[in-house]
Amino acid sequence: MEVTGIHFHDIRYVSSELPTDVTIFVGEVKFLVHKFPLLSKSNCLQKLVSKANEENSEEIHLIDFPGGPKAFEICAKFCYGMTVTLNAYNVVAARCAAEFLEMTEDIERGNLVFKIEVFLNSSIFRSWKDSIIVLQTAKSLLPWSEDLKIVGRCIDSIASKTSVDPANITWSYTYNRKLAEVDRIVEDGIKYQKKIDCVPNDWWVEDVCELEIDLYRRVMIAVKSKGRMDGSVIGEALKTYAVRWLPDTVNALASDAHIKRNRSLIETIICLLPSDRNIGCSCSFLLKLMKVAILVGADDALREDLVKRIGLKLHEASVKDLLILAQSPQVTRYDVELVYRIVNQYFVHQKFNRNTDVIERSEKGAENLLLGHGSSLNVAKLIDEYLAEIADDPNLSLASFIDLSQSIPEFARPIHDRLYKAIDIYLKVHPSLSKVDKRKICSLIDVKKLTTEASMHAAQNERLPLRVVVQVLFFEQVRASVSVEAQNSRDSSSVMTSIDEECPKELDSCKSLKHNMGHMKISEDIQKTKKLAKKSSKNSRSGMQLLPSRSRRIFDKLWIMGKGHGESRSPETSGSSQSPTSVVPGDMKSSGSYTRQRRHSIS
């Protein structure tokens, strides 16, 4: 007898010479079937038919049937001996339906449950692509798929395959892309003449990104638990997943309709970050996670964990990365307090790990200082540029600016040009600062650490307090005098070493200053200054005619004082560590009488 399946709207039946004797409802679909084929393979239907007979009914209703009508049809066809086609898309539903109907070996040998299990183990779980598809379909069949351990076995299969040596991969890693000839490795036992020489370690990253966040979390936990995956690959996988699922606009991230989902997603990604905070993810990616975490209101503990992770890699960041929008009740444009915490975290770590990024010392101390603290120098440069970026915020308080500036230790800031630029911007945007406040912020600058160009700009800067201008001019005089003496004594090497140790030069900072201060016009030529310095005091004064009248009078007075006192100069003008060429907050009070006396003498 030939048996064929016929579908007609919501009624399905099997064409046969024998009339059907039982009606089974699955959802909105009615199945007209025969008792014997089904009862011989389903213990569940035996019980239900027996109960229906007791109630004089020929109808059976299968409530909450896993997989719905399609899954029941597969089971019914198997009972009738019809050909059943299983694949990665329907096998989970068929397995759950067979379990519901109790189609086990206890009823008949070689029953549907057994055959599906063989198919899963011999085909599905051995295939990379099929394991991912089955895991995706299993999501809609919970809790059945979970209880049958299909989800767990899929996850273990995927995790095991990710940690295989890429050189031994025998399946396609192009699940989400068309399999081009150049992408072929070895698949289904067929050896291609052109085999890829090197499969990337992160070949699996894009494929698992198709998983929903809960399943993705479980897969990544399993991958990490294997202990064979490099932290950098884990970081790349998390970054790819974040790019795939997180919206790229602020409004979409914080919208009421999606904020809960986005919060769950970002919190999961943070939890999955590699346990070793010093590897795995770039600082730029971590800072982007921080921005999203703030917007969606992620857990405070997770955000604090991000601060610590970012602190370890701050030297890799850019100014753009640090521009994190402030949230209410903060009044500033950017979250300066957060950056302050990150900087402190970085230097706390550096204090307990002095060997981080340290290069072996060279013969010259100054050169060693610049090289030996490479990462700290990068952080100092970064924060000075960040200060220049936020300095034009009218709501940025003086205390916040000073605190962030002072979070950089002295050794990490051998050149003060960038800091000077930031302070100049702040003074320009905050013209109402009191004299006391101006002295406070300018006390951050060490004039001995300004390059010649920055010093010349400062000497003409009307926004700076008079005392700072005096100190700049004085130190430039000392620097020029020492240079002339070095040439005359033919001992330039030893003298220049002394100068270099006091004022280490950073060529890139000069170029940066030229670029960022386009309005600054420095017409003073260095070689010309040296020649003029050899002449009489009258000629040397003529070399400063480019300065404004106030600065020129100050410089003239300083030059006369230096020549008149000769060797008996007072400590205030000796250029020693106690001279006014170095400004620190603690020296303001002690040098006050000296400042007043000097101002009186030149007025």
Side-chain angles (χ1 to χ4, degrees), residues 13-52:
Y13 58 93
V14 176
S15 61
S16 172
E17 297 176 356
L18 300 174
T20 59
D21 50 8
V22 64
T23 302
I24 300 177
F25 292 87
V26 181
E28 298 179 353
V29 179
K30 183 196 305 185
F31 289 89
L32 304 178
V33 295
H34 302 85
K35 291 181 181 178
F36 177 73
L38 271 64
L39 269 55
S40 65
K41 289 182 172 59
S42 172
N43 188 40
C44 174
L45 289 178
Q46 287 181 15
K47 298 173 186 177
L48 292 175
V49 168
S50 176
K51 183 179 179 181

Side-chain angles (χ1 to χ4, degrees), residues 39-145:
L39 269 55
S40 65
K41 289 182 172 59
S42 172
N43 188 40
C44 174
L45 289 178
Q46 287 181 15
K47 298 173 186 177
L48 292 175
V49 168
S50 176
K51 183 179 179 181
N53 290 337
E54 293 176 1
E55 298 174 352
N56 296 320
S57 173
E58 293 184 354
E59 295 183 352
I60 296 174
H61 293 266
L62 299 180
I63 309 300
D64 297 328
F65 189 80
K70 291 184 178 180
F72 181 81
E73 185 174 343
I74 290 174
C75 295
K77 284 183 177 181
F78 178 81
C79 293
Y80 276 98
M82 301 168 65
T83 301
V84 175
T85 302
L86 294 177
N87 54 50
Y89 295 96
N90 65 13
V91 67
V92 181
R95 177 65 181 87
C96 295
E99 188 70 21
F100 183 98
L101 295 174
E102 300 177 23
M103 300 175 71
T104 62
E105 296 297 284
D106 296 337
I107 302 301
E108 183 176 276
R109 189 174 181 180
N111 213 341
L112 186 56
V113 169
F114 171 78
K115 291 186 177 297
I116 292 178
E117 283 296 326
V118 170
F119 177 67
L120 286 171
N121 294 323
S122 63
S123 179
I124 296 296
F125 297 143
R126 296 181 65 181
S127 167
W128 167 255
K129 293 183 288 187
D130 288 346
S131 295
I132 294 177
I133 293 170
V134 167
L135 185 58
Q136 289 174 307
T137 60
K139 176 72 175 178
S140 61
L141 290 162
L142 296 173
W144 284 92
S145 57

Side-chain angles (χ1 to χ4, degrees), residues 13 39 41 53 71 82 91 97 100 114 141 148 177 192 207 225 273 276 278 292 305 386 401 528 572 603:
Y13 58 93
L39 269 55
K41 289 182 172 59
N53 290 337
M82 301 168 65
V91 67
F100 183 98
F114 171 78
L141 290 162
L148 294 174
R177 302 180 294 277
Y192 295 92
D207 295 348
S225 68
L273 291 171
D276 187 345
N278 203 28
V292 177
D305 180 60
Y386 177 79
F401 186 99
K528 184 178 179 180
E572 286 86 357
S603 60

Side-chain angles (χ1 to χ4, degrees), residues 367-543:
E367 185 178 351
N368 164 71
L369 179 63
L370 292 173
L371 296 177
H373 300 283
S375 62
S376 296
L377 292 172
N378 288 339
V379 170
K381 176 183 175 183
L382 172 69
I383 297 307
D384 284 350
E385 291 176 349
Y386 177 79
L387 285 168
E389 190 71 30
I390 66 173
D392 64 351
D393 185 352
N395 295 322
L396 178 63
S397 68
L398 180 66
S400 295
F401 186 99
I402 292 177
D403 287 345
L404 183 55
S405 174
Q406 290 180 334
S407 65
I408 304 298
E410 290 185 15
F411 75 85
R413 190 186 273 140
I415 299 296
H416 277 211
D417 285 20
R418 295 185 183 88
L419 177 60
Y420 165 68
K421 176 192 171 186
I423 291 174
D424 185 46
I425 295 173
Y426 190 88
L427 292 174
K428 182 178 180 180
V429 178
H430 301 79
S432 60
L433 281 180
S434 66
K435 291 184 179 180
V436 174
D437 288 341
K438 285 185 177 181
R439 285 198 295 269
K440 282 183 180 179
I441 193 170
C442 289
S443 69
L444 299 171
I445 305 172
D446 185 347
V447 297
K448 292 189 297 183
K449 295 183 179 181
L450 294 176
T451 61
T452 301
E453 288 189 70
S455 295
M456 296 298 291
H457 183 276
Q460 302 175 76
N461 194 338
E462 297 291 339
R463 287 185 286 271
L464 296 180
L466 181 61
R467 179 180 181 182
V468 176
V469 176
V470 170
Q471 292 163 346
V472 170
L473 293 173
F474 181 85
F475 184 69
E476 281 302 303
Q477 174 198 0
V478 172
R479 180 150 52 185
S481 298
V482 171
S483 178
V484 171
E485 291 175 7
Q487 285 187 343
N488 293 337
S489 64
R490 297 182 180 180
D491 192 17
S492 59
S493 60
S494 61
V495 177
M496 289 307 296
T497 300
S498 173
I499 294 297
D500 288 342
E501 289 176 351
E502 270 192 39
C503 309
K505 295 184 179 180
E506 194 174 275
L507 294 178
D508 66 325
S509 66
C510 296
K511 295 177 182 178
S512 175
L513 191 65
K514 283 183 180 179
H515 175 73
N516 294 318
M517 296 181 175
H519 67 282
M520 186 175 73
K521 297 180 179 180
I522 304 300
S523 60
E524 185 73 28
D525 184 85
I526 301 302
Q527 297 300 325
K528 184 178 179 180
T529 302
K530 293 180 179 179
K531 292 179 180 179
L532 291 174
K534 294 180 180 179
K535 297 181 180 181
S536 65
S537 60
K538 179 179 179 179
N539 291 334
S540 66
R541 288 197 299 272
S542 67

Side-chain angles (χ1 to χ4, degrees), residues 237-430:
L238 296 176
K239 179 181 178 180
T240 304
Y241 192 85
V243 171
R244 168 69 174 81
W245 291 103
L246 282 174
D248 55 1
T249 64
V250 173
N251 292 336
L253 280 168
S255 65
D256 294 337
H258 302 104
I259 191 169
K260 186 176 180 180
R261 167 191 168 277
N262 293 335
R263 183 188 302 119
S264 173
L265 195 151
I266 200 69
E267 289 180 346
T268 299
I269 291 176
I270 296 173
C271 289
L272 290 173
L273 291 171
S275 55
D276 187 345
R277 292 171 175 166
N278 203 28
I279 61 172
C281 299
S282 68
C283 188
S284 178
F285 173 60
L286 294 175
L287 282 163
K288 288 176 182 176
L289 288 182
M290 176 64 80
K291 293 176 183 179
V292 177
I294 293 172
L295 283 173
V296 301
D299 183 73
D300 289 341
L302 295 177
R303 286 157 66 175
E304 189 60 31
D305 180 60
L306 274 181
V307 169
K308 294 177 180 178
R309 290 177 181 273
I310 295 168
L312 299 179
K313 293 174 166 283
L314 186 57
H315 55 283
E316 300 175 1
S318 67
V319 174
K320 183 180 178 180
D321 295 330
L322 291 179
L323 297 179
I324 302 172
L325 293 175
Q327 303 295 307
S328 180
Q330 294 175 314
V331 296
T332 54
R333 185 184 307 130
Y334 299 112
D335 196 335
V336 182
E337 190 275 334
L338 175 61
V339 175
Y340 176 77
R341 287 165 51 209
I342 292 173
V343 174
N344 281 341
Q345 186 66 43
Y346 172 82
F347 284 107
V348 165
H349 175 71
Q350 290 294 304
K351 183 178 180 180
F352 290 100
N353 189 14
R354 293 296 185 186
N355 293 326
T356 303
D357 295 326
V358 174
I359 302 176
E360 291 185 1
R361 300 201 166 199
S362 57
E363 295 181 359
K364 294 184 179 180
E367 185 178 351
N368 164 71
L369 179 63
L370 292 173
L371 296 177
H373 300 283
S375 62
S376 296
L377 292 172
N378 288 339
V379 170
K381 176 183 175 183
L382 172 69
I383 297 307
D384 284 350
E385 291 176 349
Y386 177 79
L387 285 168
E389 190 71 30
I390 66 173
D392 64 351
D393 185 352
N395 295 322
L396 178 63
S397 68
L398 180 66
S400 295
F401 186 99
I402 292 177
D403 287 345
L404 183 55
S405 174
Q406 290 180 334
S407 65
I408 304 298
E410 290 185 15
F411 75 85
R413 190 186 273 140
I415 299 296
H416 277 211
D417 285 20
R418 295 185 183 88
L419 177 60
Y420 165 68
K421 176 192 171 186
I423 291 174
D424 185 46
I425 295 173
Y426 190 88
L427 292 174
K428 182 178 180 180
V429 178
H430 301 79

